[in-house]
Amino acid sequence: MDQKIKIAVRDFSETPGPREKVQGDFSAEFFVETVLDPEFQKMDADVNLKMEINLDGTLGYGTSFLEEVFGGTTRNKGVDFVRDRIEVISEEEPWLKDEIKSYVDDVEKHNKESN
Amino acid sequence: MKRIKDKEKYVRLQIKRERHNTKRRLRGRRKQKRIGRILQGKDKRERKNWLRMFREYGDNRIRAPKILSLLNNTEDTVRFLQRINSSWKKRKPVFVVLKEVEQIDHSATTVLLSLIHRFQVANIKFNGDFPQNQEANKILHESQFFERLEYDHPSSRDYTMKRDNQIIGEAGTQTIDPKTALEIREDVSQTITGTSDYVFPTLHPSFIEVMQNTYEHAGEDEGTVHWWLSINHDKNNHSVTFHFIDFGRGIVDSVLNKENNRITKAFKEYAWSLFNSNKFPDIIIRLLNNEHKESKVDYYRGKGIPSLKKALDNNRVKCLSIITNKAVVNVAQNTTSVLQTDFTGTYITWVLNNECEKKIWIKK
């Protein structure tokens, strides 16, 4: 069975902030650097390792936070990495899953147009 | 040999000086007459006060419209604001005449508070008088407008103003302080639902979106423009209204500038003529509907403003309105209008009430 790294954004902050560190506290950039990147390294070393990101329990998300986390990861690690190895849990705000999907799709579309 | 004072050059200079002095004398006499007329019928104390104000603020007394509201009397209020802003640009002290104001709402008090902050940060004198209308006077007093006037030197560019544990003014350049966001959640839940157990999923994200919009687009450089947020709790109707304002370049101007940067100079003129002020509301609607495309490099940005419209469509906020540059867009009622006066800045208001989607808040 595939192993899963479980991450709850609430453990990082109840009030996820803007996109970049300079724009305010608990930014997506800071989240990726401090929480996701170390786990991505583990995932790079073990191809069977997957990640589950739980979005529940926070005050809500700005579009830029989610875009930077999921769109940014798609830009850095590739569309397949995000689609196949990252699972999003959002029971409180189910529409966030669709939003995240659209960010990943946007990157894919952009990559196709660029090539 | 001619004497110096008979020389033609000297005579010309004398005539010029005399003309200048006469003009100055007449100007002074006119000013004295004007002051005399104003002071006529006033008692000694009133005369003294008026003259003190005149010495401090000169002629720069800006009269507020009778209905001071960005939502109900947009044109006159924007004109009033632009006169104040123009004084700020010239670094001229301002005295705001509010005594004739009959109606004032929280959109106006937010704007007045943000203006005081703007003047105080720039170290320019800003003062005003009281509305004679009791209701208007009460609203202005509750906004802490007068306390703020006496607060001469803000120790910091960013600060929070509170009354009865309610945020009535928060200024900053970055996005909202997480601690403040958590406090607001509790207060908002209390006002709307009667308990502090709920969280409105759009509450915090909407702050992030509007503040980030100011951070990224309002100034020439990022993070240079101040925003101001005011939250009005209506305990009788169980609703909370948010007023957000910045005095940046405005959304329309920012969009047009961006478009112009990417195109040649010849096309720039074409773009400006194409997007004349009648089409300003269309630009906002295009943005809200996510039909405005960012540059190919920043294709993933620009999702903040559309998310506000999405929140409105999905019943997560109510009464969303935007006033920026010459565009007035009441997104909730789907109406638009064009202003005669350019409002340099962005004003966004929205409401949360019991009809909006909410979830139970589980404390950490």
Side-chain angles (χ1 to χ4, degrees):
Chain A
M1 206 176 87
D2 290 338
Q3 276 185 309
K4 259 185 195 170
I5 298 166
K6 290 192 178 183
I7 288 172
V9 183
R10 189 184 162 103
D11 295 338
F12 166 72
S13 169
E14 286 177 308
T15 53
R19 184 187 293 272
E20 292 161 16
K21 279 193 274 191
V22 287
Q23 294 172 335
D25 293 332
F26 303 118
S27 65
E29 191 185 357
F30 188 57
F31 177 67
V32 172
E33 271 179 22
T34 56
V35 181
L36 294 189
D37 276 348
E39 304 299 342
F40 286 157
Q41 280 176 11
K42 289 180 198 165
M43 288 169 80
D44 288 340
D46 181 355
V47 286
N48 292 322
L49 201 55
K50 292 192 175 181
M51 182 183 276
E52 181 186 283
I53 301 180
N54 192 330
L55 301 179
D56 293 337
T58 69
L59 272 194
Y61 297 85
T63 50
S64 47
F65 184 93
L66 293 177
E67 205 295 322
E68 185 61 29
V69 171
F70 295 96
T73 305
T74 312
R75 281 188 289 279
N76 291 333
K77 312 281 292 176
V79 177
D80 293 340
F81 178 87
V82 176
R83 282 195 185 141
D84 300 342
R85 300 182 68 186
I86 298 180
E87 189 190 347
V88 178
I89 307 283
S90 182
E91 283 171 12
E92 291 173 359
E93 296 167 52
W95 64 87
L96 291 180
K97 281 176 141 184
D98 292 333
E99 238 170 71
I100 289 165
K101 189 179 169 297
S102 77
Y103 301 149
V104 178
D105 290 348
D106 276 355
V107 178
E108 187 181 34
K109 194 179 153 198
H110 176 78
N111 290 346
K112 274 182 188 164
E113 279 171 7
S114 308
N115 292 329
Chain B
M1 203 178 122
K2 267 187 175 178
R3 284 181 302 176
I4 293 176
K5 69 175 187 177
D6 292 336
K7 277 187 180 172
E8 199 183 329
K9 192 180 168 188
Y10 184 74
V11 171
R12 254 201 334 261
L13 188 70
Q14 284 295 84
I15 293 170
K16 198 178 165 189
R17 272 184 191 155
E18 187 49 38
R19 210 177 284 153
H20 175 78
N21 286 344
T22 312
K23 267 188 187 172
R24 208 171 127 181
R25 217 169 30 244
L26 288 174
R27 218 170 27 234
R29 236 182 257 170
R30 274 201 300 271
K31 189 175 162 186
Q32 280 304 324
K33 270 188 183 175
R34 205 169 62 238
I35 292 173
R37 267 199 299 270
I38 293 168
L39 294 181
Q40 222 169 26
K42 284 191 164 67
D43 64 29
K44 200 176 169 185
R45 198 174 58 94
E46 276 179 322
R47 279 167 177 252
K48 205 174 154 190
N49 276 345
W50 195 92
L51 284 170
R52 186 174 56 81
M53 284 299 175
F54 187 77
R55 272 194 295 276
E56 279 188 44
Y57 301 97
D59 268 350
N60 209 16
R61 294 161 76 86
I62 301 176
R63 209 169 286 275
K66 283 184 180 170
I67 302 170
L68 191 56
S69 162
L70 267 177
L71 297 168
N72 302 326
N73 187 16
T74 315
E75 189 71 60
D76 290 343
T77 307
V78 166
R79 201 173 298 131
F80 164 71
L81 292 181
Q82 286 311 88
R83 285 189 65 198
I84 298 176
N85 272 331
S86 129
S87 296
W88 179 82
K89 277 181 198 156
K90 293 174 193 159
R91 298 193 60 86
K92 272 171 80 177
V94 163
F95 187 87
V96 183
V97 182
L98 297 169
K99 67 177 176 191
E100 286 161 21
V101 172
E102 288 169 4
Q103 276 180 43
I104 189 167
D105 67 8
H106 293 280
S107 68
T109 54
T110 308
V111 168
L112 284 173
L113 286 168
S114 60
L115 283 170
I116 298 174
H117 177 246
R118 205 175 188 209
F119 273 73
Q120 284 176 341
V121 166
N123 223 352
I124 309 169
K125 279 184 182 172
F126 187 100
N127 212 333
D129 57 13
F130 303 85
Q132 283 169 349
N133 181 292
Q134 286 194 342
E135 191 56 32
N137 200 337
K138 191 181 155 209
I139 293 174
L140 208 56
H141 264 291
E142 283 174 357
S143 77
Q144 294 190 359
F145 174 75
F146 298 108
E147 284 92 325
R148 190 71 215 159
L149 283 177
E150 287 159 15
Y151 189 71
D152 271 343
H153 300 287
S155 55
S156 149
R157 287 170 65 86
D158 299 358
Y159 62 93
T160 306
M161 282 172 72
K162 285 182 179 184
R163 170 176 43 83
D164 303 336
N165 206 29
Q166 313 287 349
I167 308 290
I168 59 163
E170 167 112 4
T173 50
Q174 290 192 324
T175 51
I176 199 158
D177 174 14
K179 273 186 200 160
T180 317
L182 283 167
E183 280 173 23
I184 293 171
R185 180 211 68 78
E186 210 167 316
D187 296 338
V188 167
S189 173
Q190 190 69 46
T191 302
I192 300 175
T193 66
T195 70
S196 57
D197 300 340
Y198 291 94
V199 61
F200 290 80
T202 323
L203 175 74
H204 179 59
S206 50
F207 295 151
I208 299 281
E209 304 302 3
V210 290
M211 288 164 189
Q212 193 157 309
N213 184 56
T214 299
Y215 185 95
E216 287 178 357
H217 308 293
E220 291 294 327
D221 297 311
E222 287 193 351
T224 51
V225 174
H226 250 85
W227 49 257
W228 185 277
L229 171 74
S230 168
I231 304 172
N232 173 236
H233 293 253
D234 183 347
K235 288 185 175 159
N236 297 328
N237 295 315
H238 303 288
S239 71
V240 180
T241 310
F242 300 85
H243 305 276
F244 178 88
I245 192 162
D246 74 52
F247 292 107
R249 55 158 57 135
I251 298 177
V252 176
D253 194 24
S254 158
V255 169
L256 289 176
N257 256 304
K258 270 192 176 175
E259 288 182 357
N260 287 337
N261 284 340
R262 295 204 308 270
I263 47 189
T264 61
K265 204 179 171 185
F267 193 66
K268 187 176 173 178
E269 283 170 16
Y270 168 68
W272 272 103
S273 63
L274 185 69
F275 297 116
N276 56 48
S277 59
N278 290 337
K279 293 189 175 170
F280 281 8
D282 298 342
I283 294 173
I284 303 295
I285 290 170
R286 239 174 62 199
L287 261 180
L288 286 163
N289 290 330
N290 205 10
E291 288 161 5
H292 169 77
K293 292 289 162 222
E294 289 282 330
S295 70
K296 281 191 176 176
V297 182
D298 293 336
Y299 68 94
Y300 51 87
R301 288 178 183 262
K303 293 177 168 67
I305 297 291
S307 76
L308 294 177
K309 167 87 168 31
K310 219 183 253 182
L312 179 82
D313 293 342
N314 291 306
N315 211 20
R316 287 177 226 138
V317 295
K318 299 275 179 193
C319 307
L320 176 66
S321 277
I322 300 175
I323 301 172
T324 182
N325 301 114
K326 287 183 175 176
V328 182
V329 182
N330 188 330
V331 193
Q333 287 178 9
N334 210 8
T335 57
T336 61
S337 59
V338 180
L339 293 171
Q340 299 290 319
T341 318
D342 189 14
F343 172 52
T344 331
T346 303
Y347 167 77
I348 305 178
T349 181
W350 66 99
V351 170
L352 285 179
N353 61 21
N354 240 331
E355 292 169 23
C356 297
E357 202 169 306
K358 54 186 174 291
K359 63 180 185 182
I360 294 277
W361 178 247
I362 300 153
K363 280 183 184 157
K364 226 175 179 179

